[in-house]
Every structure is written in C-alpha cells, then in structure tokens.
Amino acid sequence: MGTPKRETGKAKQKDAGQARETAAEPSALEANFIQNIINEDFKTNKYNGRVHTRFPPEPNGYLHIGHAKSICLNFGLAARNGGLCNLRFDDTNPAREEVEYVDSIKEDVRWLGFDWGDRMFYASDYFDRLYDFAVELIKKGKAYVCDLSAEEIKEYRGTLTEPGKESPYRNRSVEENLDLFERMKNGEFPDGKRVLRAKIDMSSPNLNMRDPVIYRILRATHHRTGDKWLIYPMYDYAHPVSDSLEGITHSICTLEFEDHRPLYDWFLDTLGIYRSQQIEFARLNLTYTVMSKRKLRMLVEEGIVSGWDDPRMPTISGLRRRGYTPEAIRDFCERIGVAKSNSIVDIAMLEHCIRDDLNLRVPRVMAVLRPLKLIIDNYPEGQVEELEAEYNPENPALGSRKLPFTRELYIEQEDFCENPPKKYFRLSPGQEVRLKNAYIIRCQGLVKDEKTGEVLEVHCSYDPETRSGSAASSRKVKGTLHWVSASHAVPAEVRLYEHLFLKENPDEEKDFKSCLNPDSLTRLTSCLLERSLAGAEPGSRFQFLRNGYFCVDTVDSTKSRLVFNRIVPLKDTWAKIQKANK
Ligand code: ATP
Ligand code: MG
C-alpha cells in the first residue's frame, strides 16, 4: 500500500484536467513507475514525444472504485504529459443490457472529472479490420481453424508442468483454413463447433502462448453490430490490435495480464503493425469489499442490495449516491499510488479522503437521529429566540443561519442517562451541559413510561446568562449537545451504513455471501433536523454535528419527505492509524 503523500490543507489537485499546471509537488501518482517509463520514452524519443493511453472497460457492469484507479491513472498520465486518453468499450463479448452499462460508464467517467473529447471508441468498431487481420494471420501460416471441442482444447493445452499436445488440425493448409474461417463467418457451422487459433507454440512454458483461441462462433445479438457477426474475436487478440489501431503508446492494465504480454506482442509483431507497450500495475483491492463485477452483479440480481447504485456498493454510482465527491475519489486514487505487487487497501483510507474533502466544504448543522424530548421548564411558553450560528467556524465563507430556540426541544436519546457511569459528560439528573449555540441547561427531572421504564421527557432549567457569545458564556461545562426546536424541526429519514461484509477479505471465503453484514443498513425514520434543512436539495451534503457527514439521497428524497444517507461517521480511524505509526 502506498503511503499518503499529502496531508490536509496542502495544495490539492482539484482539476484533474489541469494537473500539470496546478500540482504543487509530485503526488504518489505523478512519481510512479509508469511515469518513470514515460520519462524514459521521452528521452529516447520512442513515440516522438507522444503519450496516448486508453481506459478500456468491458460494458458488462457498472464501474467500481477499482476502475476509478485505472481511470485516474490513464487520464491522469495523459493530462500530466500533454497527451490524450481514449475511452474504449471492450465489447467483444456480446451480452444483453450493454447499452445501460455503456451509458453508466460514460456518466461515471465524466463525473470523475475526465474528458475523452471526440475519442470514444468500441472494439466492435474494428470487427471488420480484426477479421481482415485474422485472414492475414492465416495467410502467414500463423493461424488455423481447429475442430477440437472446448474440453479437448483444454486437455491438449497441458499444464504448467507438462507441455501441451498439438491439435490434429494444426497443419491444415492455408487454403483450407481460409475456406473454413470464411464459412465460420458465414454461419455454416453451429456455435462452438470450430474456432480459429493462433499457431504459436504448444510447448511454451507460458500457457497463453499454446495456440490460443482468437475467434469463436457465437450466435448472439451484439448491442452495436446486431446480427451481422456470427463469430467474435477473443479479448487477447482484439485488445492489442485495438491499441495498435488507435496509436496507443502505453497500454496500462492490471497484473493478471502480465503473462499475456508475450501474446500481446506476438500479435502485433506477427502482423507487423504499430506496437503499443503493455504495462501492468497492481489492481486496487479494498478491505470489507468485493470488487469483481460478477460478484457485484450477483448482489444486484439477488436483491441483496437495491441496485448498482445502492449506497453500500463500491461502484462509482453507489459512492456518488452515498455522497462521495469526485475530488475525494481522485485524492484517494492519488494517495494509494501505483505499485507492481497486489495488496489490500484499508477502506478507512477512502473514508478519510471524503472527510478531508468535506471538512471545510460543507455546512455543519444539527440533526437529532433518535429524538428524546427535552423541556426547559423556566423558559417562557411560546417564546422563540433566533440564535445566530455560523455554518462552519473553519470556513466563514459559508455564512450563518438563525436557529430557533424554544421551550420544547429534542436531543439525542444517547445524550441522556439516568444513572450515568463515571466520566459521563452528557446530560444526567442534576448535571449541566451546554446546548450548542444556545444556553447552559441543568437536568431537573424526567418522566418515564410507568410500564416500560422508557424515558419519555427530560426536564431542565436554563441559565439565561449563559447564551452563546455572551460574557457569561465562557462558563465551563464538560459536555455540549446538539438539539433541535420541537416546533421548528424538519422530519426526515436517515440511512446509516456499515460495511457490506463482516470479513476484511470476503474473496477469501468459500462463498463471499456467507460473510454479508446483516446490519449494513439501518433506517432511522423519525429523525428531526434543524429548520434550515427544510427543502434540502438532493445531492447536497452536510456535516450533522457529532453524527457524521450526510448527503440528501438523489433517488428517494422528496421535498416533503427528506431522506439522507450517512457518507461516513466523524471518527477517523485512518487518521488514528497514521498517527500511531508516526
Ligand atoms: P472485474 O474483474 O471487476 O470484472 P475487469 O478487469 O474485467 O474487472 P474491465 O471492464 O475489463 O473490468 O476493466 C477496465 C479497466 O479497468 C481495465 O484496464 C482493468 O485493468 C481496470 N480495472 C478493473 N478492475 C480494477 C481494479 N480493481 N483496480 C484497478 N484497475 C482495475
Ligand atoms: Mg475485463
């Protein structure tokens, strides 16, 4: 895991597109090994000073925070080096619902702050050329049509310790191969009956080089090419050729593809076309999170979450709905850095990044999540005082609002205790606390439900001399509580989240769903907010004093029924870990 290079308050790269101009010091991303390769390529003039990257998502699911790392890396490197980055959909595997995924991917990349200009491509744009190149490989004696079944191909392939066996169809003549390949294209054979394979080396120590399949027969309607094609190229073949056709200089992918690099190079060298350079980096893994699209899709399809944008999902759309900002996600991607070996990043670091971003940016307001009525017996009935309160003392630019103070208030249930333990600095019989931005009060009694023992009301007196900001307000009390006025409070639902999984690494479990956290969502339906939050816009963010950072839900919230998501609580475990390590 990379060590964070920045601390709160240092110059931050707010505008990803302008990184070169605004970055005050090299960040983890800027000083990474890929940048070193690029610097070296500049020196040797390998690509005539060009840097051209691409982000190549497969439109078979929504993007997640791991993709964000790849997006920041690819677009970031291009921006920093005066280059370009393409968005390319790797749509070689026709599947249903792809259009929905394509749209969501475009939205997410844009939201993260990146721009592909007029360079949005699809691997399917190249199907004709990929076909022609395959014909060329056949003509060069470098590809053949094979009739072995999928199981047989697997069997013939050998293992890491045993060499493979050559297919009996390996030595078909060029003419026969050309004829069969064309007939594959024309639909003369059923699905899976024949494949086109590269003719490389069945005894190669690298399994990827043992005559890999490059085309298969598949009758499936493609979201862009419809029913035009009955054969589809395999990723390992389509990817290098697409990179080459787009003039990509640095083709950045995750470590699993390291063993595929010789094949990547083989296709381009054998075809004699422009050679892009594949560079591998470690994928992002996060604690308490699964990142594979297959697993995320299961959570969606089995209704374990409400959708791809469920605020508990590690998807970009889930994080966005939860209230994460693009700045926080980009900052996170910088801090984690780029490495050559896999590791798991503590999710607390992501949470640290959003706190760091929101700390100064958002208003701090009062919201009572689990209300308990508090009555100030010596406060005149019907009186309303409008108390001035700054939105964010650390950022005066956010201004202030008036807080209505009345005889009947609500405080948090957990801020009152009838029989307090030692060092309990909140409210208890006979004790004093300050109400934030208002007065010091003393608890004089309580009303309980006779049957259940539940505390229904807390009765207090207030000291009129102690209004916040007045001379006597400097009197010290140990606790300060947030509160809302009963007659002015705005009702709301608040959703609290915990990690979706109970285990740090759910992928290690036999069934990742066996460690789902049953308490990952808590819905509090009778919360009360201060008056200024009435009509809060979907997507707007706040700090609720003492309770964390919150965002108005963009799906379920309405003017008359506000719904908030908690982004993160205030307690920063990551900052604590960092401090302890110093
Ligand atoms: P998954 O395993 O989640 O299905 P994938 O690699 O198949 O992911 P793609 O849509 O092919 O998903 O990924 C697009 C790009 O994003 C690829 O270049 C891939 O290397 C990169 N990427 C995917 N997951 C991660 C991750 N966890 N960390 C960093 N980069 C990632
Ligand atoms: Mg993939």
Side-chain angles (χ1 to χ4, degrees):
M1 192 196 303
T3 355
K5 288 248 153 99
R6 288 160 190 260
E7 281 148 34
T8 321
K10 281 202 191 158
K12 251 196 225 153
Q13 183 189 316
K14 289 286 177 200
D15 182 349
Q18 304 292 314
R20 207 171 199 179
E21 282 74 35
T22 54
E25 60 178 281
S27 70
L29 255 187
E30 281 168 75
N32 65 49
F33 77 94
I34 303 179
Q35 181 63 55
N36 295 343
I37 294 175
I38 291 175
N39 293 345
E40 203 50 41
D41 292 343
F42 278 145
K43 267 192 222 151
T44 60
N45 211 24
K46 185 167 174 188
Y47 301 104
N48 297 319
R50 271 189 330 116
V51 172
H52 201 152
T53 56
R54 85 287 172 266
F55 172 63
E58 186 178 345
N60 62 348
Y62 281 58
L63 297 183
H64 52 59
I65 181 79
H67 292 113
K69 177 178 181 180
S70 175
I71 293 167
C72 290
L73 184 58
N74 279 295
F75 281 93
L77 283 170
R80 260 194 299 283
N81 293 287
L84 298 170
C85 180
N86 297 355
L87 174 62
R88 183 199 315 140
F89 290 100
D90 156 32
D91 58 352
T92 49
N93 189 4
R96 254 173 281 139
E97 295 164 341
E98 285 195 346
V99 177
E100 177 194 345
Y101 297 135
V102 166
D103 291 343
S104 76
I105 289 169
K106 283 157 62 182
E107 183 185 356
D108 290 349
V109 175
R110 259 192 228 113
W111 179 78
L112 277 174
F114 299 103
D115 183 5
W116 54 87
D118 57 358
R119 296 173 317 281
M120 182 178 84
F121 303 114
Y122 293 85
S124 56
D125 293 339
Y126 312 128
F127 279 175
D128 286 295
R129 300 185 71 181
L130 285 161
Y131 180 82
D132 293 342
F133 281 128
V135 168
E136 219 171 289
L137 286 175
I138 295 174
K139 287 184 181 160
K140 288 185 162 158
K142 297 292 186 186
Y144 62 96
V145 173
C146 181
D147 301 359
L148 293 180
S149 68
E151 294 80 61
E152 287 167 326
I153 288 180
K154 211 170 147 203
E155 215 184 288
Y156 275 63
R157 203 161 154 231
T159 62
L160 282 173
T161 49
E162 292 163 51
K165 260 195 322 188
E166 294 193 350
S167 159
Y169 306 98
R170 198 172 198 262
N171 294 313
R172 278 179 163 148
S173 69
V174 169
E175 289 67 37
E176 188 181 1
N177 281 319
L178 286 174
D179 173 62
L180 286 173
F181 187 48
E182 185 167 5
R183 287 165 61 196
M184 279 170 61
K185 181 182 82 154
N186 293 340
E188 290 189 29
F189 314 117
D191 286 12
K193 182 78 186 157
R194 290 194 155 100
V195 292
L196 184 71
R197 296 175 71 175
K199 191 169 177 176
I200 310 180
D201 179 4
M202 287 309 290
S203 60
S204 170
N206 183 339
L207 292 173
N208 295 300
M209 302 298 274
R210 295 186 188 170
D211 291 10
V213 172
I214 56 180
Y215 263 95
R216 63 201 164 129
I217 306 173
L218 184 66
R219 282 166 177 78
T221 302
H222 187 278
H223 74 119
R224 298 190 73 241
T225 56
D227 295 321
K228 172 174 173 189
W229 292 92
L230 303 170
I231 55 172
Y232 288 96
M234 303 302 287
Y235 175 86
D236 273 345
Y237 166 65
H239 198 73
V241 174
S242 305
D243 281 345
S244 174
L245 292 174
E246 290 176 16
I248 300 302
T249 54
H250 304 85
S251 175
I252 301 163
C253 63
T254 43
L255 282 181
E256 326 77 271
F257 290 98
E258 198 162 13
D259 288 348
H260 298 236
R261 190 180 346 125
L263 181 57
Y264 182 101
D265 293 342
W266 185 91
F267 281 122
L268 300 183
D269 291 347
T270 306
L271 288 167
I273 55 180
Y274 168 83
R275 167 92 95 87
S276 316
Q277 179 186 1
Q278 178 179 305
I279 302 168
E280 309 86 16
F281 73 103
R283 65 170 44 236
L284 169 66
N285 299 299
L286 268 187
T287 55
Y288 303 102
T289 309
V290 298
M291 211 79 96
S292 125
K293 275 184 278 186
R294 186 181 59 83
K295 290 180 180 169
L296 295 175
R297 194 179 314 111
M298 270 165 90
L299 297 177
V300 173
E301 285 173 358
E302 293 175 23
I304 293 166
V305 295
S306 64
W308 286 97
D309 68 349
D310 185 300
R312 290 166 294 177
M313 291 281 272
T315 50
I316 308 287
S317 51
L319 291 167
R320 175 168 62 232
R321 183 170 167 196
R322 175 94 164 242
Y324 271 81
T325 60
E327 289 85 353
I329 295 178
R330 293 203 303 257
D331 182 32
F332 172 72
C333 291
E334 269 192 45
R335 289 180 194 235
I336 55 178
V338 186
K340 263 280 186 196
S341 60
N342 281 316
S343 63
I344 303 188
V345 174
D346 192 331
I347 195 165
M349 190 168 163
L350 177 63
E351 296 171 346
H352 173 77
C353 291
I354 185 66
R355 284 188 196 97
D356 198 25
D357 185 37
L358 296 183
N359 181 36
L360 297 183
R361 264 173 85 161
V362 303
R364 299 177 187 176
V365 295
M366 297 202 279
V368 175
L369 304 188
R370 296 174 179 90
L372 169 63
K373 184 164 254 185
L374 184 147
I375 297 163
I376 301 174
D377 295 315
N378 63 338
Y379 196 86
E381 216 153 329
Q383 178 170 309
V384 182
E385 263 177 286
E386 295 284 344
L387 306 173
E388 184 80 16
E390 263 187 305
Y391 269 125
N392 187 333
E394 292 184 55
N395 181 5
L398 291 179
S400 63
R401 82 288 196 196
K402 295 261 193 313
L403 291 168
F405 188 81
T406 52
R407 177 184 159 91
E408 294 200 359
L409 309 172
Y410 282 97
I411 60 166
E412 218 60 77
Q413 281 168 20
E414 62 175 31
D415 283 340
F416 175 78
C417 184
E418 191 184 358
N419 302 300
K422 266 194 190 145
K423 297 204 172 166
Y424 184 82
F425 298 131
R426 290 172 269 174
L427 197 60
S428 58
Q431 292 304 304
E432 278 191 327
V433 293
R434 172 172 290 284
L435 294 178
K436 179 76 183 171
N437 292 120
Y439 296 95
I440 292 177
I441 57 166
R442 183 186 297 275
C443 176
Q444 306 287 7
L446 61 156
V447 176
K448 287 208 270 191
D449 183 313
E450 279 176 16
K451 279 194 200 122
T452 63
E454 185 196 351
V455 178
L456 300 177
E457 284 175 6
V458 177
H459 284 259
C460 295
S461 58
Y462 86 117
D463 179 350
E465 302 297 312
T466 58
R467 181 163 155 171
S468 282
S470 72
S473 79
S474 57
R475 200 169 104 210
K476 285 243 158 43
V477 286
K478 288 242 166 80
T480 300
L481 309 186
H482 61 276
W483 53 276
V484 294
S485 157
S487 46
H488 298 82
V490 179
E493 174 177 332
V494 169
R495 298 174 183 170
L496 305 180
Y497 303 102
E498 283 175 39
H499 303 320
L500 250 182
F501 296 94
L502 293 167
K503 293 273 171 70
E504 272 202 14
N505 187 355
D507 289 325
E508 269 179 359
E509 305 299 304
K510 232 204 231 138
D511 171 14
F512 75 103
K513 286 182 289 178
S514 66
C515 60
L516 275 164
N517 179 0
D519 300 317
S520 58
L521 167 63
T522 303
R523 291 175 62 165
L524 302 174
T525 52
S526 43
C527 306
L528 295 170
L529 319 177
E530 68 165 68
R531 181 183 60 190
S532 73
L533 286 168
E537 288 296 325
S540 51
R541 303 177 184 92
F542 303 88
Q543 184 190 113
F544 289 176
L545 286 179
R546 301 170 67 219
N547 276 320
Y549 290 100
F550 292 78
C551 180
V552 183
D553 191 67
T554 47
V555 177
D556 295 335
S557 194
T558 62
K559 279 245 151 30
S560 55
R561 178 71 190 156
L562 289 172
V563 178
F564 282 77
N565 297 313
R566 178 151 76 183
I567 312 169
V568 276
L570 292 177
K571 198 172 141 209
D572 193 335
T573 51
W574 176 253
K576 231 169 116 186
I577 296 166
Q578 290 307 101
K579 224 169 156 184
N581 286 345
K582 275 207 178 118

